[in-house]
């Protein structure tokens, strides 16, 4: 919604762990090893200490929620989670909370600047629990500006439309996608993705609100069955065309405008 035609988008997860992904012209960049966009295990600062990946000072060890909370708790001998630490920061009477938030701002800026210097995304979407902290989108972006190879920073930073549960939705849809491909072996992955997009995306021109009241598994089964049936009848029809025709039929039968 922020920039629908963005050429390059970098998606960040900052929560229990830290990860990322890159989308270029609407396509996920997996890379040779399937780790495209994995910024969570790039080196950031030695203060992060040893990481489970076998390296030290990874982005995840500095910017993940548990590690930021640990940074605070080591200084206060408390056992607080990040939401409470953030609250104490805004109350303005906790030096350790202030130090923790400044750590987040500083190292977020440095870490994301490295990504911007390499892929120069139009949009950076920051998901995960830590991504809910508003300071990232103000002071964090200002900090990134210090480290990029340009005299200004025009990259847009935004929160995900589905909030910090976006990953859960993605995992659920991936499960349905895998099931589709197993049931209908002739369907290619990207065709299944197209069908899913029509089925679950309210903004899609062929979507209809009534589909969203259906059980996702049942809805996808009905939609696929209709699409495959149409393809068998008209084998020369492209998958995308068949999906659009079926979507149109669903929309009309549901009384959608």
């Amino acid at each position: 919604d922020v920039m629908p035609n963005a050429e390059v988008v970098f998606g960040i997860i900052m929560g229990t762990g830290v990860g990322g992904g890159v989308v270029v012209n609407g396509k996920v960049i997996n890379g040779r090893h399937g780790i495209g966009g994995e910024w969570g295990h790039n080196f950031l600062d030695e203060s992060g200490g040893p990481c489970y990946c076998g390296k030290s000072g990874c982005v995840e060890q500095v910017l993940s929620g548990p590690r930021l909370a640990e940074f605070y708790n080591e200084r206060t001998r408390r056992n607080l989670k990040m939401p409470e630490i953030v609250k104490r920061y805004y109350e303005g009477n906790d030096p350790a909370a202030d130090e923790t938030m400044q750590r987040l701002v500083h190292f977020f800026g440095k870490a994301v600047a490295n990504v911007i210097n390499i892929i120069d995304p139009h949009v950076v979407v920051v998901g995960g629990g830590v991504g809910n902290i508003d300071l990232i989108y103000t002071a964090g972006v200002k900090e990134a500006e210090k480290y990029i190879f340009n005299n200004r920073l025009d990259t847009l930073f935004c929160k995900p439309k589905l909030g910090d549960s976006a990953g859960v939705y993605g995992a659920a849809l991936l499960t349905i996608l895998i099931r589709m491909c197993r049931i209908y072996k002739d369907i290619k992955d990207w065709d299944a993705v197209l069908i899913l997009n029509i089925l679950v995306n309210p903004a899609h021109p062929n979507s209809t609100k009534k589909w969203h009241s259906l059980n996702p598994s049942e809805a996808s089964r009905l939609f696929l069955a209709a699409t495959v049936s149409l393809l068998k009848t008209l084998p020369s029809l492209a998958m995308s065309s068949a999906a659009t025709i079926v979507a149109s039929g669903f929309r009309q039968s549901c009384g959608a405008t």
Side-chain angles (χ1 to χ4, degrees), residues 108-153:
F108 173 80
K110 289 191 78 169
V112 81
N114 287 333
V115 176
I116 293 171
N117 283 339
I118 295 170
I119 65 172
D120 196 15
H122 294 77
V123 179
V124 174
V125 183
V126 187
V130 177
N132 288 324
I133 301 174
D134 290 336
L135 204 63
I136 287 174
Y137 306 92
T138 53
V141 174
K142 271 285 186 188
E143 192 71 14
E145 193 169 0
K146 299 177 184 178
Y147 301 102
I148 67 165
F149 185 60
N150 201 32
N151 57 8
R152 71 178 191 274
L153 177 57

Side-chain angles (χ1 to χ4, degrees), residues 153-205:
L153 177 57
D154 294 332
T155 307
L156 298 179
F157 288 77
C158 61
K159 296 180 181 180
K161 189 174 181 180
L162 296 174
D164 57 17
S165 296
V168 176
Y169 285 99
L173 289 177
L174 181 60
T175 300
I176 296 173
L177 172 63
I178 292 171
R179 186 170 296 178
M180 282 183 181
C181 293
R182 285 179 178 171
I183 295 173
Y184 302 102
K185 294 182 172 57
D186 293 335
I187 293 179
K188 296 178 181 178
D189 289 353
W190 285 110
D191 290 329
V193 170
L194 169 69
I195 292 171
L196 268 180
N197 187 40
I198 294 173
L199 184 63
V200 304
N201 184 0
H204 196 284

